[in-house]
Amino acid sequence: MTIPNIITLVRFLLVPAVVFALLTEEVDWAFAGFLAAAVSDGVDGFIARQFDQRSELGAYLDPIADKLLLVSVFVVLGYMGHLPLWLVVAAVSRDALIIGGVVLATVMGNPVAMKPLFVSKANTLAQFLLAALVLASLSLSFTLGIFYDGLVYLCGLLTVASGAAYLVSWIKHMGGYVDTGTPQGRG
């Protein structure tokens, strides 16, 4: 158990705290918890790289903690009417599609090596930014105006593009194709 893994586990504990704060309309606490989780994500990554404390467990826990926070906040903000439901459904469906594909591939004896795609990293960044700005606007009482609409549509576009890219990658993997698009024999 490394220091970055302990920090990541604390981030897991922040998720229900942020959700509870949102549902009880304690938006200042929700925003503070979300910011603490975001900062801790950077800190654990820095420590892991700088002090050579990377671990296989951390490689799995870190993205799961990020997704759990994002999905939970998106669902609650959608429920509260602060995010459009179509975006919440798209984001949750994309993540369910990815998880389902990984589980199915593993059950079928053809596990997928999870490598984040650039479009997926851009999607996660846009979703984090949108969630942070919505929480900030609720906490600090300001409006995002047209910037909100642009960020919502950017998140929607990146969510669909990322889901499609993972689906294509998964289909190629399950079909036995490598990056060149040529089928690989299975003895």
Side-chain angles (χ1 to χ4, degrees), residues 3-101:
I3 291 172
N5 289 348
I6 292 169
I7 293 170
T8 299
L9 290 175
V10 170
R11 206 159 71 243
F12 273 99
L13 297 176
L14 282 171
V15 173
V18 169
V19 168
F20 183 77
L22 273 173
L23 291 174
T24 57
E25 298 183 18
E26 296 288 338
V27 291
D28 295 339
W29 285 108
F31 181 49
F34 188 86
L35 282 181
V39 168
S40 73
D41 186 27
V43 169
D44 70 20
F46 173 79
I47 292 171
R49 285 184 303 279
Q50 198 67 25
F51 299 101
D52 196 28
Q53 291 194 6
R54 295 180 191 132
S55 69
E56 186 176 354
L57 177 62
Y60 285 101
L61 286 181
D62 190 67
I64 292 171
D66 290 344
K67 278 294 151 193
L68 183 62
L69 177 66
L70 264 179
V71 167
S72 299
V73 168
F74 259 56
V75 167
V76 175
L77 288 174
Y79 169 77
M80 296 174 76
H82 300 297
L83 284 179
L85 291 179
W86 66 263
L87 180 60
V88 174
V89 170
V92 172
S93 297
R94 173 204 168 265
D95 290 343
L97 175 80
I98 292 169
I99 292 167

Side-chain angles (χ1 to χ4, degrees), residues 124-139:
T124 299
L125 178 63
Q127 288 179 349
F128 258 110
L129 184 60
L130 176 61
L133 286 173
V134 168
L135 289 171
S137 73
L138 294 171
S139 175

Side-chain angles (χ1 to χ4, degrees), residues 175-178 182-187:
Y177 287 81
V178 294
T182 57
Q184 299 295 301
R186 294 180 186 226

